[in-house]
Amino acid sequence: MRRLLTLTVLALALSAAGAATASPLFVIRGFGWGHGIGMAQYGAEGYARHGWTYDEILAHYYPGTTLGQAPTARIRVLLASGQKALEIGSEAAFAVTHAGGRVELPAGTYRIGTGLELEVDGKLRKLEAPLRFQAGTKPLRLDRPYRGAIVVSLSDGKLTAVNDLKLEQYLRGVVAGEMPADWQPEALKVQAVAARSYALASRKATGAFDVYADTRSQVYGGIATEDPRTDAAIRATRAQVVLYDGKVAWTFFFASSGGRTAAIEDVWVGSEPVPYLVSVEDPYDTISPYHRWGPLTFTVEELGKRLGSRIPDGLVDLRVNTNGSGRVASVTAIGANGVTREISGWTVRALLDLRSTWFTIAKEGDLSSSRGRIVYGQKVTLSAVVSDRGEVTVEQRPAGGSWTALKTVSPAEDGSVSLTVRPQLTTFYRLRAGADVGEAVRVAVAPRLLLDEPGEGDALSGTIQPALAGAEVTIQRRSESWVAVASAVADENGRFRAVFDVTPGDYRARVGPLPGFVAGVSRPLSIGAA
């Protein structure tokens, strides 16, 4: 779409015919912030604003799980490591115990080095590691005040400090650091249960500490982070954890989903699928300022500086390859001489400093879609950046149809074009300006499948939308994976009913690709024992 491309040329590439062409400008847009696995914090706040309770929200983000009680526990948090000296104190008298006994310490701040000597009442006291500092009537302080005890030990000749405290005390320094305290009480309860569960699931069985105090585990700020509102959420959910198959679940969480969470195997390459860490819809994430981000523009020269030898010489195109969660699994970089190179989506995110691996890449003048795959009835946003400020036409071609004009739009002052559409079946879209057209973007549409709550009898019923009469629907049950257990055919109203021996477990409905539609599945339906 040459008329729409920028006239600022920072690099040249030669075509196979030897003619000079302008180096493309790449436009990246994205969705959400974070790894995408588990609970989306903005989405949880959105659900809470719409009246969902914390247990309902947790069941949505971690399907197939239940709530249960955790045993009373303590947790050890790494506060500092590799230090030559530490300063520990308190506003009230406190004590330190070590292999040589107990030393009472007046209020104040004490400096301790790798020689493990403390000056008490003007005298140096030689101590033996590990040292356990215990609070009196006021909390201990390292870089900030902390509840519980602080244990100091030596590792490779350097000092390590670990906060040893009750799990519920630890959560008071976590929940307010991970979620704004002025959010809905039900959202704060979700964060409290998720944080408690994650701490127990991730803590180390051996070693000098259980968890880190930063994003390697959970952000822990001690007493300075605490807030009465998050404290109330912790008390209201005291000892509650998320359970799957009787074990504490790995309740990963992150900031914003962009509208859909991700399955763990789609994000962290090599991870085994986890039944409750699957991709789920997240409609209320729209409150997030990171629900949509961009556009970010990159010249070939800028991409070369960021990605280096990962892209071929004479870059002419970048194409994203998505996984089942809609995230970018890899990016194919195409050079002028036809050489291609694959770059992982995670690497592109890191080197280009993107908020997530859910992003699109388009050349200036080409449309991109906020979602490459939607469920029937959902909306999708088409967008582009153009240099020409004149009107452009968005064209559409439904599966099996021909190109027709959809709408004529005028670019904004920054050259951006945006249009929201609701395709009824899989459709291609492109921009046109006179005789020039951009590359087409495909929006795949899957039928919407809904399973009814089970009634009496050995059958499961449901609906397929649109009403695709004659469509064969498969009922699947989750074991190690999803296994087909029955099938049914949709009638003229889109209703189907599968008769079989319905036992307790998780079920879903699936339909394969149909004319104009890609394969679709329903949300899982959990059926308990009678």
Side-chain angles (χ1 to χ4, degrees), residues 430-451:
R430 70 184 183 188
L431 277 184
R432 174 181 289 276
D436 296 322
V437 294
E439 291 188 16
V441 62
R442 175 178 180 261
V443 178
V445 179
R448 180 179 296 277
L449 289 161
L450 302 170
L451 275 178

PDB file of all heavy atoms in Angstrom, residues 430-451:
ATOM      1  N   ARG A 430      -9.217  -5.261   5.011  1.00  0.00           N
ATOM      2  CA  ARG A 430      -8.055  -4.549   4.489  1.00  0.00           C
ATOM      3  C   ARG A 430      -8.410  -3.077   4.298  1.00  0.00           C
ATOM      4  O   ARG A 430      -9.587  -2.696   4.310  1.00  0.00           O
ATOM      5  CB  ARG A 430      -7.590  -5.151   3.171  1.00  0.00           C
ATOM      6  CG  ARG A 430      -8.537  -4.910   1.994  1.00  0.00           C
ATOM      7  CD  ARG A 430      -8.067  -5.620   0.737  1.00  0.00           C
ATOM      8  NE  ARG A 430      -8.949  -5.312  -0.405  1.00  0.00           N
ATOM      9  CZ  ARG A 430      -8.866  -5.909  -1.589  1.00  0.00           C
ATOM     10  NH1 ARG A 430      -7.952  -6.862  -1.800  1.00  0.00           N
ATOM     11  NH2 ARG A 430      -9.688  -5.560  -2.569  1.00  0.00           N
ATOM     12  N   LEU A 431      -7.378  -2.252   4.110  1.00  0.00           N
ATOM     13  CA  LEU A 431      -7.561  -0.831   3.821  1.00  0.00           C
ATOM     14  C   LEU A 431      -7.388  -0.571   2.332  1.00  0.00           C
ATOM     15  O   LEU A 431      -6.551  -1.216   1.675  1.00  0.00           O
ATOM     16  CB  LEU A 431      -6.529   0.010   4.583  1.00  0.00           C
ATOM     17  CG  LEU A 431      -6.802   0.384   6.040  1.00  0.00           C
ATOM     18  CD1 LEU A 431      -5.698   1.295   6.540  1.00  0.00           C
ATOM     19  CD2 LEU A 431      -8.153   1.045   6.217  1.00  0.00           C
ATOM     20  N   ARG A 432      -8.156   0.381   1.829  1.00  0.00           N
ATOM     21  CA  ARG A 432      -7.993   0.810   0.438  1.00  0.00           C
ATOM     22  C   ARG A 432      -7.939   2.342   0.383  1.00  0.00           C
ATOM     23  O   ARG A 432      -8.705   3.023   1.054  1.00  0.00           O
ATOM     24  CB  ARG A 432      -9.147   0.312  -0.434  1.00  0.00           C
ATOM     25  CG  ARG A 432      -9.113   0.864  -1.883  1.00  0.00           C
ATOM     26  CD  ARG A 432     -10.269   0.369  -2.709  1.00  0.00           C
ATOM     27  NE  ARG A 432     -10.136  -1.046  -3.015  1.00  0.00           N
ATOM     28  CZ  ARG A 432      -9.416  -1.541  -4.028  1.00  0.00           C
ATOM     29  NH1 ARG A 432      -8.738  -0.721  -4.819  1.00  0.00           N
ATOM     30  NH2 ARG A 432      -9.384  -2.835  -4.250  1.00  0.00           N
ATOM     31  N   ALA A 433      -6.994   2.841  -0.440  1.00  0.00           N
ATOM     32  CA  ALA A 433      -6.923   4.265  -0.738  1.00  0.00           C
ATOM     33  C   ALA A 433      -6.758   4.371  -2.243  1.00  0.00           C
ATOM     34  O   ALA A 433      -5.678   4.155  -2.782  1.00  0.00           O
ATOM     35  CB  ALA A 433      -5.759   4.923  -0.026  1.00  0.00           C
ATOM     36  N   GLY A 434      -7.836   4.648  -2.947  1.00  0.00           N
ATOM     37  CA  GLY A 434      -7.784   4.677  -4.402  1.00  0.00           C
ATOM     38  C   GLY A 434      -7.506   3.281  -4.940  1.00  0.00           C
ATOM     39  O   GLY A 434      -8.202   2.324  -4.630  1.00  0.00           O
ATOM     40  N   ALA A 435      -6.451   3.171  -5.755  1.00  0.00           N
ATOM     41  CA  ALA A 435      -6.093   1.870  -6.328  1.00  0.00           C
ATOM     42  C   ALA A 435      -5.169   1.077  -5.427  1.00  0.00           C
ATOM     43  O   ALA A 435      -4.874  -0.092  -5.706  1.00  0.00           O
ATOM     44  CB  ALA A 435      -5.424   2.072  -7.695  1.00  0.00           C
ATOM     45  N   ASP A 436      -4.685   1.700  -4.332  1.00  0.00           N
ATOM     46  CA  ASP A 436      -3.744   1.030  -3.437  1.00  0.00           C
ATOM     47  C   ASP A 436      -4.484   0.306  -2.324  1.00  0.00           C
ATOM     48  O   ASP A 436      -5.416   0.856  -1.717  1.00  0.00           O
ATOM     49  CB  ASP A 436      -2.782   2.039  -2.820  1.00  0.00           C
ATOM     50  CG  ASP A 436      -1.911   2.704  -3.864  1.00  0.00           C
ATOM     51  OD1 ASP A 436      -1.499   1.998  -4.805  1.00  0.00           O
ATOM     52  OD2 ASP A 436      -1.664   3.920  -3.749  1.00  0.00           O
ATOM     53  N   VAL A 437      -4.069  -0.929  -2.042  1.00  0.00           N
ATOM     54  CA  VAL A 437      -4.677  -1.705  -0.955  1.00  0.00           C
ATOM     55  C   VAL A 437      -3.581  -2.238  -0.045  1.00  0.00           C
ATOM     56  O   VAL A 437      -2.456  -2.509  -0.475  1.00  0.00           O
ATOM     57  CB  VAL A 437      -5.529  -2.879  -1.496  1.00  0.00           C
ATOM     58  CG1 VAL A 437      -6.729  -2.374  -2.258  1.00  0.00           C
ATOM     59  CG2 VAL A 437      -4.696  -3.820  -2.329  1.00  0.00           C
ATOM     60  N   GLY A 438      -3.925  -2.381   1.228  1.00  0.00           N
ATOM     61  CA  GLY A 438      -2.994  -2.950   2.185  1.00  0.00           C
ATOM     62  C   GLY A 438      -3.172  -4.452   2.302  1.00  0.00           C
ATOM     63  O   GLY A 438      -4.083  -5.039   1.710  1.00  0.00           O
ATOM     64  N   GLU A 439      -2.292  -5.078   3.100  1.00  0.00           N
ATOM     65  CA  GLU A 439      -2.404  -6.513   3.318  1.00  0.00           C
ATOM     66  C   GLU A 439      -3.643  -6.810   4.160  1.00  0.00           C
ATOM     67  O   GLU A 439      -4.012  -6.047   5.047  1.00  0.00           O
ATOM     68  CB  GLU A 439      -1.152  -7.050   4.008  1.00  0.00           C
ATOM     69  CG  GLU A 439       0.087  -7.027   3.130  1.00  0.00           C
ATOM     70  CD  GLU A 439       1.254  -7.750   3.775  1.00  0.00           C
ATOM     71  OE1 GLU A 439       1.016  -8.518   4.742  1.00  0.00           O
ATOM     72  OE2 GLU A 439       2.393  -7.548   3.327  1.00  0.00           O
ATOM     73  N   ALA A 440      -4.269  -7.927   3.881  1.00  0.00           N
ATOM     74  CA  ALA A 440      -5.498  -8.308   4.591  1.00  0.00           C
ATOM     75  C   ALA A 440      -5.171  -8.936   5.939  1.00  0.00           C
ATOM     76  O   ALA A 440      -4.150  -9.606   6.103  1.00  0.00           O
ATOM     77  CB  ALA A 440      -6.310  -9.279   3.746  1.00  0.00           C
ATOM     78  N   VAL A 441      -6.047  -8.702   6.909  1.00  0.00           N
ATOM     79  CA  VAL A 441      -5.955  -9.350   8.212  1.00  0.00           C
ATOM     80  C   VAL A 441      -7.185 -10.235   8.388  1.00  0.00           C
ATOM     81  O   VAL A 441      -8.294  -9.865   8.009  1.00  0.00           O
ATOM     82  CB  VAL A 441      -5.855  -8.309   9.354  1.00  0.00           C
ATOM     83  CG1 VAL A 441      -7.085  -7.422   9.410  1.00  0.00           C
ATOM     84  CG2 VAL A 441      -5.659  -9.000  10.699  1.00  0.00           C
ATOM     85  N   ARG A 442      -6.980 -11.418   8.935  1.00  0.00           N
ATOM     86  CA  ARG A 442      -8.062 -12.404   9.079  1.00  0.00           C
ATOM     87  C   ARG A 442      -8.546 -12.439  10.518  1.00  0.00           C
ATOM     88  O   ARG A 442      -7.748 -12.508  11.450  1.00  0.00           O
ATOM     89  CB  ARG A 442      -7.554 -13.795   8.682  1.00  0.00           C
ATOM     90  CG  ARG A 442      -8.542 -14.954   8.897  1.00  0.00           C
ATOM     91  CD  ARG A 442      -7.891 -16.233   8.399  1.00  0.00           C
ATOM     92  NE  ARG A 442      -8.734 -17.412   8.557  1.00  0.00           N
ATOM     93  CZ  ARG A 442      -8.636 -18.290   9.556  1.00  0.00           C
ATOM     94  NH1 ARG A 442      -7.711 -18.113  10.493  1.00  0.00           N
ATOM     95  NH2 ARG A 442      -9.428 -19.350   9.614  1.00  0.00           N
ATOM     96  N   VAL A 443      -9.849 -12.387  10.695  1.00  0.00           N
ATOM     97  CA  VAL A 443     -10.469 -12.575  12.009  1.00  0.00           C
ATOM     98  C   VAL A 443     -11.264 -13.874  11.948  1.00  0.00           C
ATOM     99  O   VAL A 443     -12.280 -13.962  11.249  1.00  0.00           O
ATOM    100  CB  VAL A 443     -11.383 -11.399  12.381  1.00  0.00           C
ATOM    101  CG1 VAL A 443     -12.037 -11.651  13.733  1.00  0.00           C
ATOM    102  CG2 VAL A 443     -10.597 -10.090  12.407  1.00  0.00           C
ATOM    103  N   ALA A 444     -10.780 -14.882  12.642  1.00  0.00           N
ATOM    104  CA  ALA A 444     -11.458 -16.180  12.660  1.00  0.00           C
ATOM    105  C   ALA A 444     -12.583 -16.152  13.682  1.00  0.00           C
ATOM    106  O   ALA A 444     -12.416 -15.652  14.795  1.00  0.00           O
ATOM    107  CB  ALA A 444     -10.462 -17.282  13.002  1.00  0.00           C
ATOM    108  N   VAL A 445     -13.727 -16.694  13.321  1.00  0.00           N
ATOM    109  CA  VAL A 445     -14.898 -16.722  14.208  1.00  0.00           C
ATOM    110  C   VAL A 445     -15.237 -18.167  14.539  1.00  0.00           C
ATOM    111  O   VAL A 445     -15.377 -19.009  13.639  1.00  0.00           O
ATOM    112  CB  VAL A 445     -16.109 -16.037  13.551  1.00  0.00           C
ATOM    113  CG1 VAL A 445     -17.330 -16.100  14.468  1.00  0.00           C
ATOM    114  CG2 VAL A 445     -15.779 -14.595  13.202  1.00  0.00           C
ATOM    115  N   ALA A 446     -15.336 -18.460  15.833  1.00  0.00           N
ATOM    116  CA  ALA A 446     -15.732 -19.786  16.300  1.00  0.00           C
ATOM    117  C   ALA A 446     -17.173 -19.738  16.781  1.00  0.00           C
ATOM    118  O   ALA A 446     -17.625 -18.729  17.338  1.00  0.00           O
ATOM    119  CB  ALA A 446     -14.827 -20.248  17.439  1.00  0.00           C
ATOM    120  N   PRO A 447     -17.956 -20.787  16.578  1.00  0.00           N
ATOM    121  CA  PRO A 447     -19.321 -20.806  17.128  1.00  0.00           C
ATOM    122  C   PRO A 447     -19.295 -20.693  18.652  1.00  0.00           C
ATOM    123  O   PRO A 447     -18.342 -21.127  19.301  1.00  0.00           O
ATOM    124  CB  PRO A 447     -19.854 -22.179  16.690  1.00  0.00           C
ATOM    125  CG  PRO A 447     -18.986 -22.593  15.554  1.00  0.00           C
ATOM    126  CD  PRO A 447     -17.630 -22.026  15.839  1.00  0.00           C
ATOM    127  N   ARG A 448     -20.317 -20.091  19.219  1.00  0.00           N
ATOM    128  CA  ARG A 448     -20.450 -20.012  20.668  1.00  0.00           C
ATOM    129  C   ARG A 448     -21.202 -21.250  21.155  1.00  0.00           C
ATOM    130  O   ARG A 448     -22.322 -21.524  20.711  1.00  0.00           O
ATOM    131  CB  ARG A 448     -21.203 -18.748  21.087  1.00  0.00           C
ATOM    132  CG  ARG A 448     -21.378 -18.605  22.599  1.00  0.00           C
ATOM    133  CD  ARG A 448     -22.119 -17.325  22.951  1.00  0.00           C
ATOM    134  NE  ARG A 448     -21.366 -16.158  22.557  1.00  0.00           N
ATOM    135  CZ  ARG A 448     -20.391 -15.610  23.290  1.00  0.00           C
ATOM    136  NH1 ARG A 448     -20.059 -16.149  24.453  1.00  0.00           N
ATOM    137  NH2 ARG A 448     -19.755 -14.541  22.863  1.00  0.00           N
ATOM    138  N   LEU A 449     -20.599 -21.992  22.055  1.00  0.00           N
ATOM    139  CA  LEU A 449     -21.207 -23.205  22.617  1.00  0.00           C
ATOM    140  C   LEU A 449     -21.503 -22.988  24.086  1.00  0.00           C
ATOM    141  O   LEU A 449     -20.649 -22.512  24.849  1.00  0.00           O
ATOM    142  CB  LEU A 449     -20.265 -24.400  22.448  1.00  0.00           C
ATOM    143  CG  LEU A 449     -20.106 -24.925  21.009  1.00  0.00           C
ATOM    144  CD1 LEU A 449     -18.855 -25.762  20.885  1.00  0.00           C
ATOM    145  CD2 LEU A 449     -21.317 -25.730  20.605  1.00  0.00           C
ATOM    146  N   LEU A 450     -22.697 -23.327  24.502  1.00  0.00           N
ATOM    147  CA  LEU A 450     -23.125 -23.176  25.885  1.00  0.00           C
ATOM    148  C   LEU A 450     -23.696 -24.498  26.373  1.00  0.00           C
ATOM    149  O   LEU A 450     -24.587 -25.067  25.740  1.00  0.00           O
ATOM    150  CB  LEU A 450     -24.186 -22.076  26.009  1.00  0.00           C
ATOM    151  CG  LEU A 450     -23.783 -20.672  25.512  1.00  0.00           C
ATOM    152  CD1 LEU A 450     -25.003 -19.758  25.456  1.00  0.00           C
ATOM    153  CD2 LEU A 450     -22.715 -20.083  26.408  1.00  0.00           C
ATOM    154  N   LEU A 451     -23.172 -24.993  27.495  1.00  0.00           N
ATOM    155  CA  LEU A 451     -23.707 -26.203  28.110  1.00  0.00           C
ATOM    156  C   LEU A 451     -24.682 -25.818  29.204  1.00  0.00           C
ATOM    157  O   LEU A 451     -24.402 -24.927  30.021  1.00  0.00           O
ATOM    158  CB  LEU A 451     -22.582 -27.061  28.702  1.00  0.00           C
ATOM    159  CG  LEU A 451     -21.869 -28.034  27.767  1.00  0.00           C
ATOM    160  CD1 LEU A 451     -20.752 -28.747  28.515  1.00  0.00           C
ATOM    161  CD2 LEU A 451     -22.839 -29.050  27.170  1.00  0.00           C
TER     162      LEU A 451
END
